[in-house]
Amino acid sequence: MSLHIPFDNSYAALPDAFYTRLDPTPVSKPQMLAWNDALASDLGITGSDATVFAGNTVPKGAAPLAQLYAGHQFGNYNPQLGDGRAILLGEVIDEAGTRRDIQLKGSGPTPYSRMGDGRAWLGPVLREYVVSEAMHALRIPTSRALAAVATGDPVYREQGALPGAVLTRVAASHLRVGTFQVFAHRGHIGELRTLADYAIARHWPDADGPMGLLSAVCAAQAELIAAWMSVGFIHGVMNTDNCTISGETIDYGPCAFMDAYTEGRVFSSIDQMGRYAYGNQPRIAVWNMAQLATALIQLFEDKDKAVEDATAIVHAMPNQLQVAWLRRFGAKIGLNSPTADHQPMIEELLALMQTDGADFTNTFAALGTDSARDQFSDRDAFDAWAQRWQATNPDIDLMARTNPQIIPRNHRIEAMIEAAVAGDMGPFERLTKALATPFRATDPDLHRPPNTDEIVPATFCGT
């Protein structure tokens, strides 16, 4: 069956200041490694073609471009970033009526590449494929993976020559806080207003102007971060250029899921100060929203009133985060309507887990069974907590729907990448299949935490 993508592009209709038009750079030997049939069907895409998803052929109706944006990276403002190794092919409207971007990641250099080669190697491509699809199965808003294609060309990194690959990423959009920042920083108020109007129309049609947009994005980000926390996910690079207006998770670089619960756990090899540690993620989300507010304030003539309104919206976000966190963690221990009175019970369990190095996922998955106490060395302390918890009459069915049995553990991902580099896609296929049903135990060996010699202490940016 020949490939058909029902493009319905809108971003390409914006002024040229928002992007640079260019085609992907062809590769030598495109080979399809993974194709997401279910997602393709949702998008109305029929057929598949490695040459298209490697960037060798531009499909009919596409409007290829690299998007412009800026961003704070580890707290430092970079006035121009942009898609340095990605090309937005265009947009489709999925079966739910939502507009979705189709983007090639690793598709060659662009004017925003900043001395980079614009390519990606196989490891980060497969990592993003696996983790983004796992997040979708966990019902957490996320970009998704449509295809992974081998290029047949080497990519040179510090490790030497590595096999090249291209990921096809699908997202509600690639609008970021940094997209607003670039125009606000340059004083391009006309473009900033156009962008705000576009973001409202595309994502938040009920929002009342720029402040309504800010309020909607803050609420979406609060829900997103609480969802991350509830599954032990650490994004790793919560820069403003990785923070979406849609409220989706995007850019799976040095991300990971915790094994043993540790509030200060960091996986990114470049996060030396722990800025994006697990427990810091709510605070950083608020900081990112303050940067969006700073950009949007430029749209108002009465700056003092705008500052007052934006400050109130951003200052309300910590409470939004707390409410979302309590609802999600309450569900993890079987509470349908948790209140602030239940929070100490949740925090006590997390403290016990941290003290004993209990596995985050397996502890919650085992609650209500005899094996739960096996996660702890101080079993008497856990038994005392469990006795008080049982008095709340927890909803076991709610817990089963909330607590995953399996997550994409870092050691499994690294082993999958190593096998794929050697030409064996079996571990990738096994892992992807198991992660598609995270609330059911279908492959028990994949649920196992790493042995001491399997622990992966850090992950690296997907370059």
Side-chain angles (χ1 to χ4, degrees):
M1 183 185 296
S2 61
L3 176 69
H4 171 66
I5 304 176
F7 286 110
D8 186 57
N9 304 323
S10 64
Y11 199 81
L14 294 175
D16 290 348
F18 288 82
Y19 49 74
T20 298
R21 295 183 186 273
L22 78 164
D23 291 343
T25 303
V27 302
S28 64
K29 296 178 182 178
Q31 177 188 357
M32 189 69 73
L33 296 175
W35 174 251
N36 193 331
D37 278 310
L39 178 56
S41 178
D42 289 347
L43 298 173
I45 297 174
T46 56
S48 64
D49 187 336
T51 66
V52 169
F53 296 106
N56 286 26
T57 304
V58 176
K60 182 180 179 180
L65 57 87
Q67 292 178 301
L68 170 68
Y69 50 85
H72 278 89
Q73 299 182 304
F74 289 87
N76 299 307
Y77 185 68
N78 189 323
Q80 180 170 301
L81 295 169
D83 290 332
R85 57 192 180 99
I87 297 291
L88 176 65
L89 283 183
E91 305 151 30
V92 301
I93 298 176
D94 67 19
E95 62 177 8
T98 302
R99 190 173 292 275
R100 307 289 287 175
D101 282 359
I102 310 293
Q103 185 196 66
L104 302 184
K105 187 175 180 181
S107 52
T110 78
Y112 313 119
S113 293
R114 304 184 302 282
M115 305 300 292
D117 61 11
R119 292 301 186 185
W121 74 276
L122 182 62
V125 165
L126 294 185
R127 174 184 290 275
E128 179 157 347
Y129 193 111
V130 167
V131 179
S132 63
E133 285 303 294
M135 291 285 269
H136 173 72
L138 289 166
R139 303 188 293 269
I140 295 175
T142 180
S143 63
R144 297 191 61 189
L146 177 63
V149 178
T151 65
D153 300 320
V155 172
Y156 296 94
R157 298 293 182 260
E158 290 182 2
Q159 308 97 304
L162 299 164
V166 177
L167 175 78
T168 303
R169 179 162 67 187
V170 176
S173 84
H174 286 79
L175 295 180
R176 313 155 187 264
V177 172
T179 318
F180 288 80
Q181 287 182 290
V182 69
F183 297 115
H185 185 261
R186 294 178 179 183
H188 294 176
I189 304 305
E191 286 85 352
L192 181 62
R193 189 175 306 280
T194 296
L195 180 62
D197 291 343
Y198 178 82
I200 290 170
R202 182 161 179 174
H203 293 299
W204 307 109
D206 294 331
D208 184 10
M211 286 301 156
L213 173 62
L214 176 63
S215 182
V217 178
C218 283
Q221 284 290 324
E223 289 291 337
L224 178 64
I225 303 309
W228 289 358
M229 303 291 280
S230 73
V231 294
F233 177 74
I234 303 169
H235 185 278
V237 278
M238 290 177 64
N239 298 329
T240 57
D241 56 295
N242 293 335
C243 180
T244 63
I245 301 305
S246 64
E248 285 186 319
T249 314
I250 201 168
D251 285 333
Y252 291 90
C255 65
F257 287 72
M258 282 192 298
D259 295 308
Y261 176 76
T262 307
E263 179 80 6
R265 187 69 168 94
V266 174
F267 275 101
S268 172
S269 62
I270 59 176
D271 191 1
Q272 300 299 317
M273 304 303 292
R275 176 180 175 87
Y276 299 141
Y278 170 80
N280 278 350
Q281 292 179 134
R283 179 179 64 83
I284 293 299
V286 175
W287 192 91
N288 286 346
M289 291 299 96
Q291 311 318 308
L292 176 60
T294 299
L296 291 174
I297 285 168
Q298 308 308 311
L299 293 172
F300 294 86
E301 291 186 11
D302 188 343
K303 294 293 192 294
D304 290 341
K305 179 65 164 59
V307 168
E308 180 181 346
D309 291 345
T311 299
I313 293 169
V314 174
H315 282 189
M317 193 176 171
N319 184 63
Q320 292 175 310
L321 278 156
Q322 183 58 36
V323 169
W325 183 95
L326 181 59
R327 185 179 68 254
R328 287 198 174 259
F329 274 84
K332 289 180 76 66
I333 64 169
L335 303 177
N336 283 286
S337 301
T339 68
D341 291 338
H342 295 114
Q343 185 165 334
M345 176 177 289
I346 299 169
E347 291 177 340
E348 182 182 351
L349 175 60
L350 293 174
L352 290 173
M353 291 168 62
Q354 174 143 323
T355 297
D356 280 8
D359 186 81
F360 183 88
T361 299
N362 289 352
T363 297
F364 281 108
L367 286 180
T369 72
D370 292 340
S371 62
R373 66 196 307 267
D374 295 339
Q375 300 291 328
F376 298 86
S377 56
D378 188 347
R379 294 180 178 179
D380 290 341
F382 173 75
D383 288 344
W385 177 87
Q387 185 175 10
R388 295 192 299 276
W389 167 64
Q390 289 286 1
T392 68
N393 192 28
D395 184 338
I396 302 301
D397 289 339
L398 174 63
M399 293 164 57
R401 298 192 304 270
T402 303
N403 293 316
Q405 298 283 329
I406 183 172
I407 55 170
R409 294 186 183 271
N410 228 14
H411 68 295
R412 291 295 187 183
I413 291 176
E414 293 300 322
M416 172 267 293
I417 291 171
E418 184 177 351
V421 169
D424 179 7
M425 292 294 291
F428 167 84
E429 292 163 1
R430 176 188 177 192
L431 192 57
T432 303
K433 180 180 179 181
L435 290 168
T437 55
F439 302 100
R440 297 207 310 267
T442 58
D443 195 338
D445 187 50
L446 292 178
H447 304 189
R448 176 181 59 80
N451 296 321
T452 302
D453 61 347
E454 295 176 312
I455 292 174
V456 179
T459 53
F460 297 84
C461 285
T463 53

